[in-house]
Amino acid sequence: MRDFKTFLKDITTQPPVLFPTVVVFHLLCLLWAIWSCIQQTGASTEINVLWMLGYTIGWVGVADQKKWGAFAYIGVTVVNIVEYLTHRGKFGVDMYSSPLFLIDILFCFFILFYFKRFR
């Protein structure tokens, strides 16, 4: 098991520059979702926090070049797309999917491109 300093060094020096940058992006989006949930309560803001937590954990695994991180991130994206397509017309508004899922689909292509490097 690695200590936190070695973990940070590994995720910032081993993968391509895109991966640690996206970790920072996901952490900022997670903090924004938490702040939004505190400011205005409701099911949609709490679900957005859960989506962003899933994406952030998955991408930290991707930045560490672990296959479980790639599978987790792609899995959360697939579940998000299914939720978007099945609940969009029923409720009139899209409250169950992450607002960033189109960007996350783009990130999935980067994961698939670099997948052979993962452990």
Side-chain angles (χ1 to χ4, degrees):
M1 185 122 202
R2 298 177 289 180
D3 61 341
F4 189 68
K5 184 178 178 183
T6 307
F7 173 72
L8 284 179
K9 183 181 175 192
D10 287 347
I11 67 170
T12 55
T13 58
Q14 289 179 356
V17 173
L18 172 75
F19 290 173
T21 307
V22 176
V23 168
V24 172
F25 171 73
H26 277 91
L27 286 173
L28 291 174
C29 288
L30 177 63
L31 291 174
W32 179 264
I34 291 170
W35 183 77
S36 296
C37 184
I38 292 170
Q39 294 297 321
Q40 47 180 298
T41 59
S44 64
T45 56
E46 293 166 0
I47 290 172
N48 282 340
V49 170
L50 293 176
W51 282 122
M52 287 311 302
L53 183 64
Y55 280 127
T56 304
I57 290 171
W59 197 268
V60 168
V62 167
D64 197 23
Q65 295 183 336
K66 302 288 184 184
K67 287 188 178 186
W68 66 262
F71 290 134
Y73 195 87
I74 292 171
V76 171
T77 303
V78 167
V79 169
N80 198 356
I81 291 170
V82 168
E83 287 292 320
Y84 178 78
L85 293 175
T86 58
H87 288 109
R88 184 152 174 87
K90 292 180 183 177
F91 300 112
V93 293
D94 182 28
M95 68 181 263
Y96 291 115
S97 66
S98 171
L100 298 174
F101 83 95
L102 292 174
I103 296 170
D104 296 320
I105 293 171
L106 178 68
F107 292 153
C108 284
F109 286 114
F110 288 117
I111 290 171
L112 294 174
F113 184 73
Y114 287 106
F115 189 75
K116 288 190 176 190
R117 291 182 168 183
F118 293 175
R119 298 181 291 281

